[in-house]
């Protein structure tokens, strides 16, 4: 197994820290606190991203009838993970998590809990291996049945936008009609303080995460049928509270024809 380097901050562990998780190290906490000192709103962005994921899964289960989920770049388990939300609503749901961080792998046992009726699996693969992801997912999911592909906060790690779009296309290509794509990522054009903080972080030597203009996030859904209200700041996507404030995190959900 790959040795975990605890001296270097890692984005998945920093995100876990912002979400209130415990699976991080002093280097991650220091980096997370330094970021928060520049932009205190980062915890709101982390929690809003997770809340969007929860609401989109609720739609997928209750309104779209989806019972299979492929969560790529799942990160560390915190609260309201994909399998927890889906199986709470439909215990027979099957979920495949994909990530290639050694700490995530070390905690896969936590992710692998499942209802007796459903199934949960973990695959140690990279986003840059879409065909291998689909092949591995087929060990748990039925390739002939509609599947929800979840890409939450992962595409910003792909430096080239065209490459990110191509990875999404190749993953969707292996999924049948009726499948759905859920994406949310950090965005430009809403919060200049967030943009400045992220640009500074990217220059620090840590693994960079690139905020993208909203039209580039919307481009991931090309050829798909967007679910209302389309690609919006994540608190505005079918909110549970009235009149939420927009943040620099945009996302959407769409169906493959």
């Amino acid at each position: 197994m790959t040795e975990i380097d605890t001296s270097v901050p890692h984005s998945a562990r920093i995100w876990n820290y912002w979400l209130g998780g415990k699976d991080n190290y002093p280097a991650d906490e220091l980096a997370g606190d330094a970021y928060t000192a520049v932009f205190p709103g980062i915890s709101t962005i982390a929690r809003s991203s997770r809340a969007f994921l929860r609401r989109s899964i609720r739609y997928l289960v209750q309104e779209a009838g989806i019972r299979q989920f492929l969560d790529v770049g799942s990160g560390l388990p915190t609260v309201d993970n994909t399998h927890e939300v889906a199986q709470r609503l439909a215990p027979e749901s099957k979920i495949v998590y994909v990530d290639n961080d050694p700490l995530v792998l070390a905690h896969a046992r936590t992710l692998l809990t499942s209802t007796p009726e459903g199934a949960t699996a973990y695959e140690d693969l990279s986003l840059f291996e879409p065909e291998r992801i689909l092949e591995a997912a087929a060990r748990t999911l039925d390739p002939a049945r509609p599947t929800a592909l979840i890409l939450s906060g992962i595409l910003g790690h792909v430096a080239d936008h065209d490459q990110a779009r191509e990875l999404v296309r190749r993953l969707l290509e292996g999924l049948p009609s009726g499948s759905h794509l859920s994406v949310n990522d950090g965005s430009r054009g809403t919060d200049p303080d967030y943009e400045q903080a992220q640009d500074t972080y990217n220059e620090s030597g840590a693994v960079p995460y690139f905020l993208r203009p909203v039209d580039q996030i919307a481009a991931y859904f090309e050829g798909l049928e967007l679910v209302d209200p389309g690609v919006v700041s994540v608190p505005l996507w079918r909110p549970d509270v009235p009149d939420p404030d927009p943040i620099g995190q945009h996302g959407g959900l769409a169906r493959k024809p």
Side-chain angles (χ1 to χ4, degrees):
M1 178 177 168
T2 305
E3 184 176 347
I4 298 170
D5 187 348
T6 63
S7 67
V8 178
H10 187 284
S11 60
R13 300 193 298 258
I14 296 170
W15 196 256
N16 176 269
Y17 176 58
W18 287 331
L19 282 170
K22 304 298 182 186
D23 299 313
N24 44 73
Y25 296 96
D28 306 308
E29 295 178 16
L30 284 171
D33 289 342
Y35 195 117
T36 302
V38 176
F39 178 60
I42 190 60
S43 294
T44 299
I45 284 180
R47 288 174 168 82
S48 295
S49 172
R50 182 52 59 111
F52 166 81
L53 178 64
R54 182 175 62 247
R55 296 195 306 276
S56 63
I57 292 172
R58 188 170 65 199
Y59 171 91
L60 287 162
V61 172
Q62 295 181 328
E63 299 191 45
I66 297 294
R67 296 294 183 269
Q68 299 193 143
F69 297 83
L70 177 56
D71 188 338
V72 180
S74 54
L76 290 160
T78 48
V79 63
D80 278 345
N81 301 292
T82 297
H83 75 282
E84 293 172 325
V85 179
Q87 292 183 342
R88 200 155 55 222
L89 298 169
E92 71 275 21
S93 297
K94 296 181 178 182
I95 296 88
V96 172
Y97 290 102
V98 177
D99 210 307
N100 68 332
D101 179 79
L103 186 67
V104 178
L105 181 59
H107 287 78
R109 191 175 296 110
T110 306
L111 283 171
L112 287 170
T113 58
S114 175
T115 56
E117 305 95 323
T120 307
Y122 177 86
E123 300 293 345
D124 181 21
L125 291 167
S126 163
L127 170 66
F128 296 93
E129 306 172 281
E131 286 75 26
R132 288 189 66 194
I133 288 173
L134 292 166
E135 181 181 355
R139 292 196 285 264
T140 301
L141 309 180
D142 181 350
R145 294 187 63 193
T147 296
L149 171 62
I150 296 171
L151 299 166
S152 181
I154 183 66
L155 293 172
H157 287 298
V158 183
D160 183 78
H161 179 244
D162 288 338
Q163 184 183 19
R165 288 182 65 184
E166 177 66 9
L167 291 168
V168 174
R169 185 195 66 77
R170 286 161 63 187
L171 284 167
L172 283 171
E173 194 172 52
L175 301 178
S177 173
S179 293
H180 284 66
L181 171 66
S182 173
V183 170
N184 75 95
D185 259 304
S187 58
R188 293 190 178 274
T190 302
D191 192 332
D193 291 338
Y194 177 33
E195 295 166 25
Q196 182 177 354
Q198 188 60 46
D199 290 345
T200 301
Y201 174 86
N202 287 353
E203 294 165 3
S204 71
V207 176
Y209 178 83
F210 300 95
L211 307 182
R212 294 206 157 101
V214 178
D215 64 328
Q216 290 190 1
I217 295 175
Y220 296 131
F221 299 98
E222 185 176 348
L224 306 179
E225 301 166 349
L226 276 167
V227 174
D228 286 337
V231 178
V232 295
S233 179
V234 292
L236 309 184
W237 197 90
R238 299 180 173 241
D240 291 327
V241 296
D243 303 319
D245 294 324
I247 60 174
Q249 183 88 4
H250 277 68
L253 180 68
R255 179 184 182 276
K256 179 177 178 178

